[in-house]
Amino acid sequence: MSIEEIEKEEFYEHFNYVAHEGQEPLRVDKFLMNFIENATRNKIQQAAKAGNILVNDIAVKSSYKVKPHDVVRVVLSHPPHENLLVAEDIPLDILFEDDQVIVVNKPAGMVVHPGHGNYSGTLVNALIHHVENLPNNSNERPGLVHRIDKDTSGLLVVAKTEFAMAHLSKQFYDRTTERLYYALVWGNIEEDEGTIEGNIGRSLKNRLQMSVFPEGDFGKHAVTHYKVLERFSYVTLVQCKLETGRTHQIRAHFKHIGHTLFNDERYGGNEVLKGTTFTKYKQFVDNCFKALPRQALHAKTLGFEHPTTKEFMRFNSEIPQDMVDCLEKWKTYTVNQKD
């Protein structure tokens, strides 16, 4: 099936992936399962049977072996759900709003924009109900200048005008914004402060993870500065200052240095990584996981220059209750250990 035939049939591209130069030969159905969350192998195989999986613009069977630099596309006869945005009346925790920008405190569990498996209930669905005619970013996502992960809580700035979008986007590109995160990580970080530097790119083993490539041969340049705030026996509370803003940057960087984020399921932090082998300790950690059923990461501080007034604005958000509850448990545990 050629591109011309696809366009004639009004097929829409839903996914587009370029195989990494380090990609080992892998069946295209398995390759796509590594990328597309919540997809079953049967669904992908059915899509291949229908001629909806293209490699380098040619329809392939599910047994096709993906090679380095292959362009893998999934096309279907209906537009992607994320292009069918629906305004939803969802409450927003707004810290600041004027005619140019909105600063929102996003709760954990809320997806920032629609995508595979999450077509409603997102921050974007709420924003387009709150404000009409938000400008689109380069990915056609209304108002978004940056994003944080679904299970990360904290601050985001949203652009209400084209001018604000351009102005704020340049600040993020030029790294003149201020972004501070609080993270609880496994292990006792020996240094009181430090810098993690290493390219971040999609993992060659698990495409849902990001990996650090310290040699700089893959990925994009990434820098995270950190400062220890408090130590609790087998975990450490750190403040992270982002110099760059890569996908999963804090999560990947801290895993790379052996301090995976507490209860970060995708990166293995939902296992007991440090501590004793006692059953009682394992039960304590399980109770901490229940109190904080997500990765322990909060976007606490956000600073930027206002697009029109040129004033540098800085916002802070409270640490959410689930993270507070988890920290309290660790404080109590640590005190009892010293007694």
Side-chain angles (χ1 to χ4, degrees):
M1 187 181 287
S2 68
I3 290 293
E4 290 76 17
E5 287 173 312
I6 289 168
E7 288 173 348
K8 195 180 290 183
E9 289 289 328
E10 292 192 330
F11 273 70
Y12 299 85
E13 181 174 280
H14 280 233
F15 301 100
N16 183 326
Y17 304 111
V18 180
H20 205 279
E21 61 187 52
Q23 176 69 51
E24 295 178 0
L26 182 68
R27 285 175 58 111
V28 72
D29 52 0
K30 289 186 175 180
F31 176 84
L32 286 170
M33 279 190 72
N34 284 334
F35 277 103
I36 306 172
E37 292 189 66
N38 306 320
T40 64
R41 193 166 175 190
N42 182 54
K43 275 190 179 178
I44 292 171
Q45 289 174 341
Q46 292 304 317
K49 274 186 185 177
N52 293 339
I53 295 178
L54 311 181
V55 177
N56 305 324
D57 298 329
I58 298 170
V60 297
K61 294 179 179 179
S62 53
S63 58
Y64 173 88
K65 295 285 180 70
V66 176
K67 302 182 293 296
H69 306 296
D70 274 352
V71 178
V72 182
R73 301 170 61 209
V74 180
V75 294
L76 297 168
S77 58
H78 58 86
H81 281 80
E82 53 261 44
N83 293 344
L84 305 173
L85 288 173
V86 177
E88 295 180 64
D89 187 5
I90 301 168
L92 289 170
D93 182 5
I94 296 173
L95 273 64
F96 175 83
E97 181 176 7
D98 64 6
D99 61 346
Q100 294 293 322
V101 299
I102 309 172
V103 177
V104 180
N105 188 26
K106 184 190 83 68
M110 177 183 259
V111 177
V112 171
H113 57 76
H116 187 79
N118 297 288
Y119 301 121
S120 64
T122 75
L123 180 66
V124 164
N125 293 113
L127 286 169
I128 61 175
H129 179 273
H130 181 71
V131 181
E132 289 185 4
N133 302 319
L134 282 172
N136 281 340
N137 66 14
S138 57
N139 293 316
E140 301 297 311
R141 287 167 181 157
L144 295 187
V145 181
H146 62 128
R147 60 181 291 275
I148 56 179
D149 297 329
K150 173 187 174 183
D151 289 326
T152 298
S153 53
L155 298 177
L156 286 155
V157 61
V158 175
K160 291 178 71 173
T161 66
E162 294 285 356
F163 178 76
M165 176 70 75
H167 197 281
L168 289 167
S169 296
K170 188 172 190 307
Q171 290 183 59
F172 277 88
Y173 180 79
D174 291 341
R175 305 176 191 171
T176 58
T177 59
E178 181 183 344
R179 284 174 290 170
L180 298 179
Y181 288 70
Y182 276 19
L184 185 68
V185 304
W186 278 106
N188 181 31
I189 298 179
E190 291 182 11
E191 303 82 9
D192 288 334
E193 54 186 66
T195 296
I196 310 168
E197 193 164 355
N199 281 23
I200 289 179
R202 202 162 288 281
S203 167
L204 302 180
K205 295 177 181 175
N206 181 345
R207 308 299 289 184
L208 297 180
Q209 287 186 8
M210 305 302 283
S211 287
V212 177
F213 299 94
E215 303 302 316
D217 44 353
F218 302 126
K220 293 180 179 178
H221 177 65
V223 181
T224 304
H225 306 285
Y226 68 84
K227 183 166 68 175
V228 170
L229 299 176
E230 207 163 348
R231 303 174 193 276
F232 308 109
S233 300
Y234 304 116
V235 295
T236 306
L237 180 65
V238 292
Q239 175 185 278
C240 308
K241 183 178 182 180
L242 291 188
E243 189 174 308
T244 54
R246 308 303 178 202
T247 301
H248 295 186
Q249 178 169 319
I250 292 171
R251 299 165 73 183
H253 264 169
F254 276 90
K255 180 179 175 69
H256 177 66
I257 65 167
H259 294 285
T260 304
L261 264 63
F262 188 76
N263 208 12
D264 188 347
E265 183 177 1
R266 183 162 293 184
Y267 288 86
N270 60 331
E271 303 289 334
V272 179
L273 297 182
K274 299 288 180 183
T276 72
T277 56
F278 298 134
T279 305
K280 191 175 178 184
Y281 173 72
K282 186 179 185 304
Q283 184 59 56
F284 161 74
V285 173
D286 283 342
N287 288 336
C288 290
F289 287 159
K290 286 173 185 171
L292 182 69
R294 63 178 179 100
Q295 69 258 12
L297 186 60
H298 176 65
K300 192 173 190 310
T301 302
L302 178 63
F304 57 88
E305 182 185 277
H306 190 278
T308 54
T309 68
K310 307 305 179 190
E311 174 192 357
F312 191 84
M313 308 181 78
R314 183 181 288 106
F315 299 91
N316 277 289
S317 62
E318 295 295 324
I319 297 175
Q321 195 59 48
D322 59 355
M323 203 162 165
V324 169
D325 291 344
C326 181
L327 290 172
E328 286 299 326
K329 287 181 184 298
W330 275 106
K331 282 177 187 175
T332 304
Y333 179 86
T334 304
V335 168
N336 290 340
Q337 289 291 102
K338 290 175 182 175
D339 292 344

